[in-house]
């Protein structure tokens, strides 16, 4: 019997196929026979546009399994979004934005500046002492503020004496968590905010991620995940949305005008694209395949999902934050069912019962998601 194509095979095919189309060539092969995702129609770039593009650099993580998988997932989400968009003639900017986001993640997802990569490398260095790390990170006032804010958040610091220095903050947040705060701090400065009507959405996404980090850290033991890793992925779990806003901002600057987008379309695009884009950003910024997979599946919307403590922790933490923001008590039984969770429900309930979640969210209850 011939081997059956896998989802990875199909993702790789879609990935090659899109590159071929964007380079103005016909796809040279056919999709795997039993692939469950429909072959992708072209994103309808006007004839000749692709040929005016400079030669593309190798796509991000081309030779990496996770990179190929999430590139394929991004392309599939893009095709679904594009296929369902019927007002193409009225809104040509939609195609422009989608092409900018999907064409090449190596361009769409900005590379971190050298200084940021140096700071992250310091966090990754096995032989660096905490004192030396604290001294290096303590030179950036914004970073110090971010580290202290997280270390003293209600979920991480509740009931304990406040930490006042970077060294103690690193001890409380953990090395993986510190790396995530450093990365989030870099990403804050890296990605452009389109401003205007989108500014409150961008601010709300950041606030939501900053709150979800400590929640994930607290809930991780109940879900069988590592608290520091859970904190790290939660702190950046919706960063794919910020990548889209960054591209939107870049296009607006280039065209010197606001993009014309249908009412409500951006929310739909954010919802459908941000998981695979976030996964690709996690890979590009060195969070690793496990973090990328957790970020890429944090809504746990697929019919069947692998057991993944990190992704399950992330799903639960962000749902708890959404509930708290709306002033609702999370129904854990429903969340366990919807998210196909395998963690300890009673332990999670005890954690949430003990922790002053509402206090964490005080002042944010009226903000939009
Ligand atoms: Fe999300
Ligand atoms: Fe979220």
């Amino acid at each position: 019997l011939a081997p059956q194509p896998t989802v990875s095979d199909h993702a790789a095919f879609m990935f090659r196929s899109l590159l071929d189309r964007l380079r103005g060539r016909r796809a040279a092969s056919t999709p795997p026979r039993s692939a469950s995702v429909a072959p992708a129609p072209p994103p309808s770039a006007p004839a000749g546009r692709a040929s005016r593009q400079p030669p593309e650099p190798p796509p991000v993580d081309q030779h990496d399994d996770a990179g190929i998988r999430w590139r394929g997932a991004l392309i599939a989400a893009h095709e679904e979004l594009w296929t369902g968009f019927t007002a193409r003639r009225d809104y040509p900017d939609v195609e422009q934005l989608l092409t900018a986001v999907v064409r090449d993640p190596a361009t769409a997802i900005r590379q971190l500046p050298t200084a940021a990569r140096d700071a992250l490398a310091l966090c990754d260095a096995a032989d660096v002492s905490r004192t030396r790390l604290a001294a290096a990170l303590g030179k950036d006032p914004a970073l110090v503020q971010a580290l202290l804010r997280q270390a003293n958040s209600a979920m991480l610091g509740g009931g304990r004496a406040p930490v006042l220095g970077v060294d103690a903050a690193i001890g409380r947040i953990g090395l993986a968590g510190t790396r995530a705060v450093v990365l989030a701090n870099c990403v804050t400065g890296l990605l452009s905010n389109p401003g205007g009507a989108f500014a409150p959405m961008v601010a709300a996404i950041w606030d939501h991620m900053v709150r979800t980090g400590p929640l994930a850290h607290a809930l991780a033991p109940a879900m069988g995940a590592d608290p520091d890793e859970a904190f790290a992925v939660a702190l950046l779990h919706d960063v794919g949305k910020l990548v889209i806003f960054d591209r939107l901002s870049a296009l607006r600057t280039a065209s010197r005008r606001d993009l014309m987008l249908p009412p409500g379309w951006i929310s739909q695009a954010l919802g459908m694209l941000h998981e695979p884009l976030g996964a690709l950003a996690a890979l590009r910024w060195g969070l690793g395949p496990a973090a990328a997979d957790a970020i890429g599946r944090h809504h746990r919307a697929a019919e069947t999902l692998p057991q993944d403590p990190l992704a399950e922790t992330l799903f639960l933490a962000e749902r708890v934050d959404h509930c708290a923001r709306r002033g609702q008590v999370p129904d854990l039984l429903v969340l366990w069912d919807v998210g196909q969770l395998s963690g300890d429900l009673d332990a999670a309930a005890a954690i949430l019962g003990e922790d002053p979640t509402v206090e964490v969210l005080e002042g944010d209850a009226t903000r939009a998601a």
Side-chain angles (χ1 to χ4, degrees):
L1 289 175
Q4 291 298 306
T6 64
V7 172
S8 293
D9 292 336
H10 186 73
F13 165 77
M14 296 183 76
F15 167 73
R16 288 194 304 272
S17 176
L18 180 76
L19 280 183
D20 285 344
R21 288 197 309 276
L22 292 172
R23 287 169 177 156
R25 298 198 299 262
R26 287 188 59 184
S29 56
T30 53
R33 263 184 300 121
S34 63
S36 58
V37 184
S44 303
R49 176 182 295 179
S51 63
R52 290 198 298 271
Q53 297 294 332
E56 295 179 42
V60 65
D61 297 309
Q62 187 173 4
H63 305 294
D64 177 77
D65 282 351
I68 291 172
R69 187 168 64 250
W70 288 113
R71 188 84 206 272
L74 176 63
I75 292 167
H78 161 267
E79 299 293 355
E80 188 181 348
L81 183 64
W82 180 246
T83 303
F85 180 60
T86 55
R88 298 173 191 177
R89 286 190 175 197
D90 299 331
Y91 295 98
D93 287 347
V94 165
E95 181 189 348
Q96 196 185 11
L97 177 58
L98 285 178
T99 302
V101 168
V102 176
R103 187 188 60 203
D104 180 6
T107 303
I109 302 167
R110 294 176 194 258
Q111 182 55 285
L112 298 170
T114 305
R117 279 181 279 174
D118 288 348
L120 292 172
L122 199 59
C123 296
D124 293 335
D127 58 346
V128 71
S129 72
R130 207 171 85 185
T131 306
R132 197 178 137 218
L133 179 61
L137 302 183
K139 292 174 184 168
D140 181 340
L143 186 54
V144 171
Q145 193 178 23
L147 286 166
L148 293 179
R149 179 183 177 186
Q150 287 294 355
N152 291 317
S153 66
M155 297 302 279
L156 276 173
R160 294 191 279 177
V163 298
L164 303 174
V166 174
D167 197 342
I170 293 171
R172 187 170 286 182
I173 297 170
L175 265 183
T178 299
R179 188 188 194 284
V181 174
V182 172
L183 179 54
N185 192 57
C186 299
V187 170
T188 309
L190 183 69
L191 300 182
S192 301
N193 185 335
F198 298 118
M201 295 176 76
V202 172
I205 291 164
W206 270 119
D207 287 347
H208 164 60
M209 292 197 295
V210 167
R211 291 190 308 258
T212 306
L215 271 167
H217 188 280
L219 288 165
M223 310 303 288
D226 179 82
D228 291 350
E229 282 183 26
F231 175 85
V233 296
L235 199 58
L236 285 163
H237 74 274
D238 276 335
V239 77
K241 295 181 179 179
L242 302 180
V243 170
I244 295 172
F245 281 123
D246 180 62
R247 290 297 87 197
L248 199 157
S249 179
L251 287 175
R252 192 175 75 165
T253 301
S255 60
R256 298 180 187 176
R257 63 174 176 79
D258 286 332
L259 298 194
M260 295 279 291
L261 303 174
W265 181 85
I266 193 69
S267 294
Q268 187 186 6
L270 294 175
M272 293 177 69
L273 301 177
H274 83 283
E275 283 184 290
L277 256 184
L280 288 166
L283 291 171
R284 184 153 172 77
W285 297 333
L287 282 172
D293 286 353
I295 289 173
R297 299 193 190 107
H298 71 267
H299 286 268
R300 297 188 65 77
E303 279 187 22
T304 55
L305 289 160
Q307 190 173 332
D308 181 345
L310 200 54
E312 294 176 36
T313 304
L314 187 45
F315 168 87
L316 181 61
E318 87 138 8
R319 289 297 186 107
V320 168
D321 181 58
H322 284 317
C323 286
R325 183 174 48 78
R326 297 176 189 127
Q328 301 167 344
V329 176
D331 187 332
L332 295 186
L333 280 174
V334 169
L335 292 181
W336 245 250
D337 182 42
V338 171
Q340 303 173 44
L341 303 186
S342 56
D344 186 336
L345 192 151
D346 290 336
I351 290 167
L352 293 171
E354 289 168 7
D355 284 306
T357 307
V358 173
E359 192 178 306
V360 177
L361 300 164
E362 200 172 10
D364 291 319
T366 57
R367 299 191 94 133

